Amino acid sequence: MPLDDIDHVAVLGAGNMGHGITEVIAIAGYDVTMRDIETELVEDGYEDIKWSLEKLAEKERIDESPETVLDRISTMTDLEAAVAEADLVIEAAPEELDIKHDIFTDLETYTDEDTILASNTSSLPITDIAAATDRPERVVGMHFFNPPVKMDLVEVIYGDETSDATAETAYEFVESIDKTPIYVNKDVRGFVVNSVLGPFGDEAGWMASEGVADIREIDATMVHERGYPMGPFELADLTGIDIGYHVRTEAGKDVPPIVESKVEAEALGRKTGKGYYEYEDGDGVDYGPDDAADSVDWLRIEARIINEAAKLVGDDVATPDAIDTGLRLGAGFPEGPCRRADKLGLDTVLEKLDDLHAQYGEDRYEAADYLRELVDSGQTGEDADAGFYTYGSDDDRTYTTINVDHHEDGLLEIELDRPERMNALSQDLMDEVVHALETADEDEVRAVVFEGAGDRAFSAGADITGFAGMDPYESEVSEVFEVVADYPRPTLAKIDGFCLGGGHELALACDLRVATDGSEFGFPEINLGLIPGGGGTQRAVRMLTEARAKELVFRGNRIDAETAEEWGLINRAVPESEFEDTVEAFLDDLVTGAPVALRKAKRVMNRGRDQDISAGLQLESQAFGQLLSTDDVTEGTTAFMEDRKPEFEGQ
Ligand code: NAD
């Protein structure tokens, strides 16, 4: 069944996942029936949806009223009636194969034979679930993450018999509800995200069990040095130590002694008030940046993660891009493991695994054939121009943090694609933007538009991981802002949501800015003990009155789009409903405008304005660089990550 034929969806289960899935599908405009086995349960699920929609409406995260969305949802307890009209059924019932079998057996009777039957299972093989029906080709995995309203990722999993047509429609359906799908081409245990994430907790567990480092040191190092959103022990406490324990034992794997001892003591994490950290009688998660330690051999953990990724690529389960997207969106990784591996050097990763294997003789350290093949063939990563991805040669470079679309009419569309980090500017992202602009055939480009992926931000700033403690000489004005500002074609920033810090500077480096009226602008750098370092101070003071520019930079507060328009910071602030049309009208003029005249107009206007800007920029960048080594920046960035107010001492 093609996507166009899907009008009505049924979700089975109104629990944690079922009600969230129902909500996102209804928000996207589909009619949904949510079914559970008892009236009270569907009613509870419905109330949860209502509550959540009201929150989303308060934060202006949905375009329609909660009532309009709720009107598309019906609730039922009768299975036959619930699925009678459905073109797609998504099962989100308890994680027991017997229950799923019963449901799929009934579905075969009650649904049309074209209906796509999806399961949201996290760990049962899709093939086993499909075995309950006579049409396994129509059965597919659709693995949403918890909570579905917030989490952008959905794994689309092939069972052994799933047809391409079924998987493709499921994939397109996920896109149509504004989520990001990745294909899992084979029905492997844990699918992509959980199997690659497995070693994060597992290897950390072995390291702590051996006593080479303690849990706080490991958590702190992974968070403050390697950029993960949570440490492995902190994460285990949150998800439940028993969950990881069962996953490993069911897979026939050894369990690190520290995990075993927690399970035996029934200290399972937050839910029991005690796990690796003490919640009831203690301070909860209580590590800080100072706990990061050299004794934590983080490469042990990352090498095993990368090894899992290599197995999946080698076995054609998923592409490096799908794996990286999955781990970024599904597990909050700061960058995908394949991308990170290419930076570390695959030879370094392989050597680590081989050393560990020689030392411990355990299967878990056995390197994937695919990883060894890459290294043997000289594809050791970015330095060699090829690894999981290809680099260097212009045509085959794969972007991992932006999407580039060069339209026939000459419009070059660059989408900042790190929605899980509100499109924060990482080094990779900035490099990729520069590469995209420098390698696009300029004669074929008439205008450039920048926008942010997801529905929350154009870009909420620079990635501050790694700012604190940086050596002053490492800081230079980032090339990207200059390349964008000097690009010989008109550029426009299409802003929907937060436009802060480095993202704001990128928008200011563009020629024109159009924003939705819910967007917000600001330079929060001062709150980190920093100043804007990508041309923000200089561009703002030239674009606005001095007073307004200084207000933005000194106070670090945000202003709304209406104020930004009044101040002359942006060209237009328009309601969401007029946004696309307004942007299109601007772009249409840019793309069809006289190219030579536009180029000259841009040049003379920039030059005229910027007669004294290079000195200003240099001053700004020196000041920024000097600030990086201050204690205030360490305090500011730490306070930000810990979500508290910083206490600056002026050091
Ligand atoms: P849950 O226990 O919160 O909800 C399950 C609901 O299904 C319950 O309300 C139950 O009454 C109902 N149910 C039982 N039999 C049913 C039937 N025959 N028809 C319809 N509904 C029935 O569980 P959950 O956390 O929502 O998990 C549901 C599924 O989603 C599981 O397969 C789970 O593995 C998967 N999943 C869970 C998470 C998570 O983090 N919770 C994440 C991804 C996937």
Side-chain angles (χ1 to χ4, degrees):
M1 167 167 312
L3 179 67
D4 284 348
D5 292 347
I6 295 188
D7 296 318
H8 197 111
V9 182
V11 176
L12 307 182
N16 240 326
M17 297 303 290
H19 89 264
I21 296 171
T22 302
E23 181 178 350
V24 292
I25 294 176
I27 291 174
Y30 289 95
D31 289 326
V32 203
T33 305
M34 178 170 72
R35 188 257 169 174
D36 207 306
I37 45 178
E38 282 169 30
T39 310
E40 203 186 318
L41 296 168
V42 263
E43 280 174 0
D44 285 352
Y46 190 81
E47 284 305 311
D48 288 343
I49 296 177
K50 200 165 153 215
W51 180 86
S52 162
L53 286 171
E54 276 159 12
K55 287 270 158 231
L56 291 176
E58 263 169 40
K59 294 186 204 150
E60 296 183 30
R61 301 272 308 277
I62 44 174
D63 301 337
E64 299 175 311
S65 69
E67 294 72 36
T68 314
V69 177
L70 285 168
D71 276 349
R72 290 195 282 269
I73 300 175
S74 43
T75 55
M76 284 186 202
T77 50
D78 183 73
L79 177 66
E80 184 173 357
V83 301
E85 302 277 300
D87 308 303
L88 165 68
V89 179
I90 302 174
E91 167 276 314
E95 189 72 337
E96 283 175 38
L97 190 57
D98 287 348
I99 297 183
K100 309 233 185 224
H101 263 179
D102 288 347
I103 293 176
F104 278 73
T105 307
D106 287 342
L107 286 178
E108 185 173 2
T109 316
Y110 298 141
T111 59
D112 207 74
E113 62 176 14
D114 287 344
T115 303
I116 293 180
L117 307 177
S119 173
N120 182 49
T121 177
S122 334
S123 59
L124 299 169
I126 303 302
T127 314
D128 290 357
I129 295 174
T133 77
D134 265 347
R135 41 179 133 119
E137 71 284 357
R138 298 254 190 278
V139 179
V140 65
M142 234 190 222
H143 183 216
F144 287 77
F145 287 69
N146 190 15
V149 174
K150 280 210 184 126
M151 299 292 285
D152 210 21
L153 185 75
V154 180
E155 291 179 306
V156 173
I157 306 130
Y158 275 80
D160 288 355
E161 317 247 345
T162 308
S163 70
D164 285 339
T166 299
E168 279 160 21
T169 303
Y171 189 96
E172 288 168 12
F173 175 77
V174 171
E175 288 182 315
S176 79
I177 57 169
D178 241 358
K179 298 279 164 193
T180 305
I182 59 167
Y183 277 125
V184 182
N185 298 320
K186 292 184 187 167
D187 200 2
V188 296
R189 190 187 281 275
F191 311 137
V192 165
V193 174
N194 287 331
S195 54
V196 177
L197 182 61
F200 186 64
D202 190 57
E203 193 56 22
W206 288 109
M207 287 161 68
S209 299
E210 272 169 40
V212 287
D214 72 29
I215 59 161
R216 282 176 188 74
E217 290 171 335
I218 297 174
D219 276 356
T221 305
M222 297 316 278
V223 170
H224 293 286
E225 288 187 6
R226 303 302 293 161
Y228 296 90
M230 258 185 231
F233 298 101
E234 182 183 3
L235 178 64
D237 272 0
L238 188 70
T239 49
I241 299 173
D242 52 327
I243 307 277
Y245 174 84
H246 290 307
V247 169
R248 283 180 206 134
T249 46
E250 275 164 26
K253 292 185 179 157
D254 292 342
V255 176
I258 191 170
V259 178
E260 197 125 33
S261 68
K262 293 288 170 195
V263 174
E264 273 165 22
E266 289 183 32
L268 305 178
R270 279 177 192 267
K271 62 184 173 188
T272 55
K274 188 177 171 182
Y276 293 111
Y277 297 91
E278 295 265 355
Y279 299 90
E280 236 160 54
D281 303 321
D283 300 335
V285 175
D286 59 355
Y287 65 85
D290 291 345
D291 290 310
D294 290 343
S295 58
V296 178
D297 185 1
W298 50 261
L299 187 55
R300 267 180 74 161
I301 299 176
E302 292 196 353
R304 280 197 54 206
I305 289 174
I306 292 161
N307 200 34
E308 283 314 306
K311 286 180 198 164
L312 296 180
V313 179
D315 292 342
D316 290 327
V317 176
T319 61
D321 196 31
I323 294 172
D324 282 0
T325 302
L327 273 293
R328 285 167 46 203
L329 267 48
F333 274 25
E335 63 188 345
C338 298
R339 173 70 189 119
R340 185 162 274 193
D342 279 355
K343 283 187 190 166
L344 288 168
L346 301 189
D347 44 349
T348 307
V349 173
L350 180 62
E351 199 182 322
K352 181 83 211 168
L353 289 165
D354 284 347
D355 284 353
L356 289 164
H357 195 238
Q359 189 181 343
Y360 297 94
E362 297 286 350
D363 290 352
R364 59 179 172 274
Y365 301 117
E366 199 166 316
D369 291 342
Y370 183 72
L371 182 64
R372 204 175 291 284
E373 280 162 27
L374 285 177
V375 173
D376 286 349
S377 63
Q379 299 178 64
T380 51
E382 191 165 359
D383 285 349
D385 278 352
F388 280 105
Y389 294 101
T390 42
Y391 302 86
S393 119
D394 294 342
D395 294 340
D396 347 316
R397 171 150 174 177
T398 21
Y399 295 129
T400 58
T401 59
I402 60 172
N403 296 316
V404 179
D405 205 355
H406 195 165
H407 298 254
E408 253 174 41
D409 62 2
L411 179 67
L412 184 67
E413 224 177 70
I414 299 185
E415 183 182 53
L416 315 178
D417 187 21
R418 302 184 74 215
E420 74 286 6
R421 299 257 158 158
M422 295 226 242
N423 304 318
L425 308 184
S426 61
Q427 195 56 50
D428 274 1
L429 186 146
M430 296 191 282
D431 290 347
E432 289 181 3
V433 170
V434 170
H435 184 270
L437 289 175
E438 287 183 342
T439 54
D441 181 353
E442 205 181 289
D443 292 334
E444 304 287 327
V445 178
R446 302 285 287 267
V448 185
V449 60
F450 290 91
E451 64 184 303
D455 57 359
R456 302 204 52 201
F458 172 74
S459 166
D463 217 334
I464 65 162
T465 329
F467 261 24
M470 212 190 243
D471 293 337
Y473 59 81
E474 278 181 34
S475 141
E476 281 171 27
V477 177
S478 266
E479 198 189 358
V480 67
F481 305 102
E482 294 301 281
V483 171
V484 171
D486 294 341
Y487 194 72
R489 303 287 178 203
T491 51
L492 181 141
K494 179 179 174 188
I495 301 158
D496 183 14
F498 293 117
C499 182
L500 305 174
H504 190 183
E505 295 180 282
L506 181 66
L508 295 193
C510 292
D511 299 312
L512 305 168
R513 286 158 290 284
V514 176
T516 52
D517 54 9
S519 300
E520 293 186 28
F521 299 81
F523 287 125
E525 284 85 348
I526 212 80
N527 303 321
L528 302 174
L530 273 173
I531 61 173
T537 61
Q538 301 304 300
R539 291 202 174 87
V541 83
R542 280 166 178 75
M543 200 174 287
L544 307 172
T545 62
E546 186 181 325
R548 285 171 172 169
K550 286 184 175 163
E551 179 177 335
L552 278 176
V553 174
F554 290 7
R555 298 187 69 194
N557 293 341
R558 294 182 202 156
I559 57 170
D560 60 22
E562 203 181 317
T563 312
E565 184 182 17
E566 196 187 308
W567 285 12
L569 187 76
I570 61 174
N571 297 75
R572 298 281 189 286
V574 294
E576 189 96 37
S577 55
E578 294 167 27
F579 185 49
E580 293 298 330
D581 287 348
T582 310
V583 170
E584 208 175 300
F586 268 75
L587 292 176
D588 195 44
D589 287 342
L590 301 181
V591 165
T592 56
V596 184
L598 277 169
R599 170 201 289 252
K600 283 234 183 292
K602 174 164 178 171
R603 194 161 66 197
V604 298
M605 289 168 90
N606 282 6
R607 288 247 174 111
R609 179 199 64 197
D610 292 347
Q611 275 183 1
D612 57 346
I613 199 174
S614 43
L617 287 175
Q618 229 164 10
L619 290 172
E620 181 196 83
S621 109
Q622 275 167 9
F624 180 84
Q626 286 157 359
L627 286 169
L628 279 178
S629 59
T630 61
D631 290 347
D632 279 357
V633 169
T634 308
E635 166 61 14
T637 49
T638 308
F640 175 81
M641 292 208 257
E642 292 172 359
D643 203 13
R644 62 173 169 81
K645 203 171 161 38
E647 288 172 29
F648 294 121
E649 299 196 342
Q651 305 275 322

